[in-house]
Amino acid sequence: MLERLKRWRESRFAARHPFPDDAWAEARARLPLLAALGDSEAAALGERAWRFLHAKRLSLHPALAEATPFDLPAQLALAAQACLLTLGWSDEEHQEAFANVHEVLILPDAFRRQVEEMDEFGVMHEYVDERAGETSHQGPVVVAFPDLMESGDWNGFNVLIHEFAHKLDLGNSLDVDGFPPLPADIDPREWHRVFMGVWEDLQARLARGEPTPIDDYAATHPGECFAVCCEAFFTAPDLLHQAYPALHDLLGRYFRQDPLARLPERDRADIESTHHDRH
């Protein structure tokens, strides 16, 4: 009965909202990350992105709405990058994972937030932080337009994947902690052990004044470590595999995907991690 109802809803949606094949083809042509998908993955992601656009609110700041063309291919490209995280999951898992996503808000530029943080000695520090994106448990996913435009290539940076990774992380807590809801086939102890190994390596490299193999923003907080590693997994998988093979394999099991297999040959030898301020 439930399966029949699901098929009826799908056919009704398709009849009311025919899939825009030309717009999806243009979206894929604009972003190397989407162009690299195989036919079956591209078809599945396109459908999921199309439904995402109808289920979530996409808002442009008034200054952007007046001056910036944001056509259907651009909207599909945005939705597809978000849905890329859950491409290996069932529709039910995808919907549950992003049940806390209600709106994507695009701002004209990076924005500032007054931040209060307590250090290990119990001293409160206040400072102004410039951000490319942010989100919260039930809040909108907020991204800066310039950083959105830089996302979608094989360069290790993707503000949408970063912020939507935070949304996955928030699936079982009110704040990001690097420990999202895990499938039954991943032991939480293994997750903790692998991520702690990466965290400790990053801290040790920074203490020695050495460069880090992934964006050193991952070393600022366990939640940021998870989000940055998700960016690397999808947009610089060869770099992540070389630096942290156990983490790469763990994320492959978690996302049930292999972005390394999609990576074009021309990009395998020259991907470099791009460093940005993000949250």
Side-chain angles (χ1 to χ4, degrees), residues 130-178:
E130 186 171 277
R131 304 184 172 190
E134 68 174 11
T135 192
S136 59
H137 183 253
Q138 290 291 336
V141 173
V142 183
V143 296
F145 184 75
D147 296 273
L148 176 62
M149 293 297 98
E150 289 185 31
S151 302
D153 210 336
W154 297 97
N155 59 7
F157 173 76
N158 193 295
V159 68
L160 287 167
I161 289 176
H162 186 102
E163 295 306 326
F164 276 85
H166 283 326
K167 280 295 192 183
L168 297 181
D169 195 350
L170 289 162
N172 56 4
S173 62
L174 296 178
D175 200 3
V176 295
D177 58 8

Side-chain angles (χ1 to χ4, degrees), residues 104-120:
V104 180
L105 174 60
I106 307 172
L107 300 183
D109 212 333
F111 48 98
R112 292 179 172 84
R113 289 285 185 266
Q114 186 74 29
V115 178
E116 295 183 354
E117 285 187 355
M118 184 175 294
D119 65 20
E120 58 185 313

Side-chain angles (χ1 to χ4, degrees), residues 14 22 46 67 82 85 93 105 110 112-113 121 133 136 142 180 187 197 199 218 247 269 278:
D22 291 345
L85 281 86
E93 291 169 326
L105 174 60
R112 292 179 172 84
R113 289 285 185 266
F121 303 107
S136 59
V142 183
D187 190 325
W199 175 264
L247 175 62
R278 48 258 185 102

Side-chain angles (χ1 to χ4, degrees), residues 40-137:
S40 60
E41 286 187 323
L45 183 61
E47 289 287 349
R48 189 163 283 180
W50 184 230
R51 290 175 176 273
F52 183 95
L53 286 181
H54 286 83
K56 315 296 183 181
R57 186 163 60 253
L58 179 58
S59 305
L60 272 68
H61 187 277
L64 277 176
E66 292 177 3
T68 305
F70 203 70
D71 56 10
L72 184 55
Q75 296 171 41
L76 279 169
L78 182 154
Q81 289 174 87
C83 294
L84 187 60
L85 281 86
T86 60
L87 180 58
W89 300 353
S90 69
D91 286 340
E92 290 75 16
E93 291 169 326
H94 161 76
Q95 291 168 8
E96 182 179 356
F98 288 153
N100 59 358
V101 178
H102 310 290
E103 179 182 14
V104 180
L105 174 60
I106 307 172
L107 300 183
D109 212 333
F111 48 98
R112 292 179 172 84
R113 289 285 185 266
Q114 186 74 29
V115 178
E116 295 183 354
E117 285 187 355
M118 184 175 294
D119 65 20
E120 58 185 313
F121 303 107
V123 178
M124 185 66 73
H125 299 271
E126 296 185 10
Y127 60 95
V128 176
D129 190 26
E130 186 171 277
R131 304 184 172 190
E134 68 174 11
T135 192
S136 59
H137 183 253

